[in-house]
Amino acid sequence: MTADASLTRESFRRLQPINAPRPVSQLPFRVWTDEEWDRIRCGYRARDMDEKWNVFVEGDVVFMHRSWTGHGVYEASFAPAAGGGRKIASAVVEADGERYRSMGDEYDCLMMELVISAIVLGEAATDLRAGLVELTARASGKSDLPSGVVEHSVLGWRSGS
């Protein structure tokens, strides 16, 4: 997809903005290259029922919505990074427990980076995936959660590619 064909808010049928925004205090350290930022700005549309995320960009803000409900979950504001590229300068997460159940800032930080890296950019994101499984296991109190089940439940099938 080229920058001319970027997804916009109007590209999706039913989007609902974040109802109760809460600032995320822990942000990813990653700096995305200018080329990656161009690809992120194109957005991402879930291709079928198994995929969990729709993503689009307005200005410098990346909007991440659940594909089934259209509920906004994350809004990440990007800014130029020293030395080039872009990084997340601030972000909010949905705090309405009826729409999204946050497991804390560490989890939300990881999820924002994982959605952008694995879903939008199609990266393997092995370390982020392992971190997701670890945080989910810690939050559930279970140490034997299968990684594939955890990833599918929050990311969708494409996350395994």
Side-chain angles (χ1 to χ4, degrees), residues 21-102:
R22 177 184 60 79
V24 178
S25 64
Q26 186 174 341
L27 301 172
F29 294 111
R30 178 171 177 172
V31 174
W32 284 270
T33 66
D34 291 332
E35 180 182 275
E36 290 167 334
W37 174 243
D38 287 342
R39 290 174 51 210
I40 292 166
R41 286 185 16 222
C42 289
Y44 183 84
R45 177 195 309 270
R47 293 180 178 96
D48 63 34
M49 294 291 283
D50 287 332
E51 293 189 319
K52 310 287 189 209
W53 295 94
N54 286 322
V55 179
F56 65 95
V57 176
E58 291 177 344
D60 292 328
V61 180
V62 176
F63 294 85
M64 294 169 250
H65 288 251
R66 294 302 281 193
S67 61
W68 287 15
T69 63
H71 291 163
V73 175
Y74 298 110
E75 293 176 11
S77 297
F78 278 70
R86 292 189 162 258
K87 64 180 183 170
I88 298 175
S90 65
V92 296
V93 61
E94 176 63 78
D96 181 341
E98 296 293 317
R99 291 179 160 211
Y100 176 71
R101 293 179 200 192
S102 173

Side-chain angles (χ1 to χ4, degrees), residues 76-155:
S77 297
F78 278 70
R86 292 189 162 258
K87 64 180 183 170
I88 298 175
S90 65
V92 296
V93 61
E94 176 63 78
D96 181 341
E98 296 293 317
R99 291 179 160 211
Y100 176 71
R101 293 179 200 192
S102 173
M103 287 195 267
D105 281 351
E106 185 179 9
Y107 180 87
D108 292 326
C109 172
L110 184 135
M111 278 302 298
M112 283 187 297
E113 185 173 355
L114 194 51
V115 169
I116 294 167
S117 299
I119 302 298
V120 178
L121 296 177
E123 299 172 348
T126 307
D127 291 345
L128 294 173
R129 292 172 192 277
L132 173 68
V133 172
E134 179 185 325
L135 287 174
T136 304
R138 190 181 330 149
S140 72
K142 298 178 182 177
S143 60
D144 60 346
L145 292 172
S147 62
V149 171
V150 170
E151 290 181 30
H152 179 76
S153 69
V154 294
L155 293 176

